[in-house]
Amino acid sequence: MEYYNKVIESVGVRYTRGNNYKVERPITVTDYLEPENTVILLHQGTLKFGDEQELVNEGEILFIPAGRACKVSFGQATKRNEMSNNSFLENKKKHLQSVSFKDIKSIEEDCITLVTFEAKVFDVVNFFNSLGIPPFIIRFNDRLASIIEDVVKESEQNTPGKERVIKIHTELLVVELVRHILKNRLFVEEMSTNSTYFKDPRLIDMFNYIKKNIGGDLSNKILAKVANVSEDYVGQYFKMLTGINPQDYIEYQRMEAAVELLRTTKKSIRDIGKEVGYKDTAYFCRRFKMMYGLPAGKMRRRESLINVQ
């Protein structure tokens, strides 16, 4: 159990979107695909998934891991109502119409709540996808259904602290998903086979060191000492387990830290660059623009406008 606690602590969670929909026109999406993890709570009507078109009962939840294509039917769709995911995205509004929670009880049509979110181990590995878990139905879990509803209810509000509350609810959502999988002993073989890299304490030590020393020396020489491997091998070792070069990962983390400081402080661009590990302000600004497509100053102004709205 201690192992799973460490895994959960290492997973970074980010809410991406959530909404309630009524099904205007039944549709079967033959290769439904989201870049993020997706939970679909069925309030009423018909929801099916997979090649066998397994039925989701009202009050149950369909979970689709990030990047996993899956056949999904919204409403009582027939063979004539099938289309690809690309066609569905182009015509989504014809099939699914957004509704608020206060309107759900009065709707007679099929009705769902859909939430998508990221869950990445130290912002690198898509957690559920990496475990090889297929789409599945979550049955008899009122707590998880309630959390999904709370996420979207909060997203419909325009009150102080909205983003923080959504973040808390989304983190709870991920914890409850993992608990549900463990409690019901689902996908035991997949998890034991595909989660071995989480068990390497040297990798976790490196992630923690990078997080705590984001503005300091994070050269391969330092990382090698942290992981107790040779300097020549540490880059290969890191990439073998995560799929990314350690210095690329470090730069991503530094830029994400810079964005957070731009959003939450009035520190100068120069001071922010130094705080996240860049002694040369001009170099920091060039790398920032290359990564995000706009200068740090414009990013700050954009974030300020978003927060006001």
Side-chain angles (χ1 to χ4, degrees), residues 163 263 298-309:
E163 288 185 5
R263 292 179 65 247
K298 284 190 176 181
M299 172 73 82
R300 168 173 272 165
R301 289 192 290 274
R302 189 187 75 170
E303 291 291 333
S304 297
L305 287 171
I306 290 173
N307 290 336
V308 169
Q309 292 172 353

Side-chain angles (χ1 to χ4, degrees), residues 59-84:
E60 294 180 344
I61 302 155
L62 173 61
F63 173 58
I64 307 174
R68 285 295 179 95
C70 177
K71 187 175 183 179
V72 178
S73 294
F74 301 95
Q76 286 285 10
T78 64
K79 193 76 174 178
R80 292 182 305 169
N81 305 118
E82 288 188 356
M83 66 170 58
S84 69

Side-chain angles (χ1 to χ4, degrees), residues 123-280:
D123 300 318
V124 176
V125 182
N126 280 312
F127 177 59
F128 294 105
N129 183 286
S130 71
L131 295 178
I133 294 175
F136 70 98
I137 298 173
I138 299 170
R139 305 189 190 276
F140 314 115
N141 196 320
D142 293 340
R143 175 166 170 73
L144 196 48
S146 178
I147 293 171
I148 292 169
E149 290 183 349
D150 288 342
V151 170
V152 179
K153 284 177 182 176
E154 189 65 31
S155 72
E156 293 180 351
Q157 304 299 315
N158 190 21
T159 52
K162 168 182 171 178
E163 288 185 5
R164 184 163 188 177
V165 172
I166 289 174
K167 186 176 188 296
I168 291 169
H169 285 322
T170 310
E171 288 178 342
L172 276 174
L173 172 60
V174 171
V175 171
E176 284 299 320
L177 266 171
V178 175
R179 285 178 175 176
H180 181 88
I181 290 169
L182 295 176
K183 180 181 177 181
N184 294 280
R185 295 190 58 78
L186 302 173
F187 318 114
V188 175
E189 184 176 343
E190 288 91 339
M191 292 187 72
S192 62
T193 302
N194 299 324
S195 63
T196 52
Y197 66 89
F198 290 122
K199 298 177 182 178
D200 193 325
R202 295 176 297 176
L203 181 63
I204 292 177
D205 287 345
M206 275 199 288
F207 279 136
N208 285 330
Y209 186 87
I210 292 168
K211 186 175 182 179
K212 292 176 182 177
N213 299 276
I214 198 67
D217 183 359
L218 294 174
S219 63
N220 279 8
K221 183 177 180 179
I222 296 297
L223 295 182
K225 290 180 180 179
V226 173
N228 195 26
V229 297
S230 72
E231 184 178 348
D232 292 336
Y233 177 64
V234 70
Q236 179 184 342
Y237 165 76
F238 191 97
K239 189 170 184 178
M240 177 178 66
L241 294 176
T242 66
I244 188 173
N245 180 285
Q247 294 308 316
D248 290 341
Y249 170 74
I250 289 166
E251 181 167 53
Y252 173 78
Q253 292 302 311
R254 283 175 164 161
M255 290 302 177
E256 286 291 286
V259 170
E260 184 65 16
L261 289 170
L262 287 168
R263 292 179 65 247
T264 59
T265 74
K266 294 183 179 180
K267 293 179 180 180
S268 68
I269 303 298
R270 180 181 180 182
D271 288 344
I272 288 174
K274 285 183 177 180
E275 190 167 332
V276 299
Y278 292 89
K279 295 178 182 178
D280 186 333

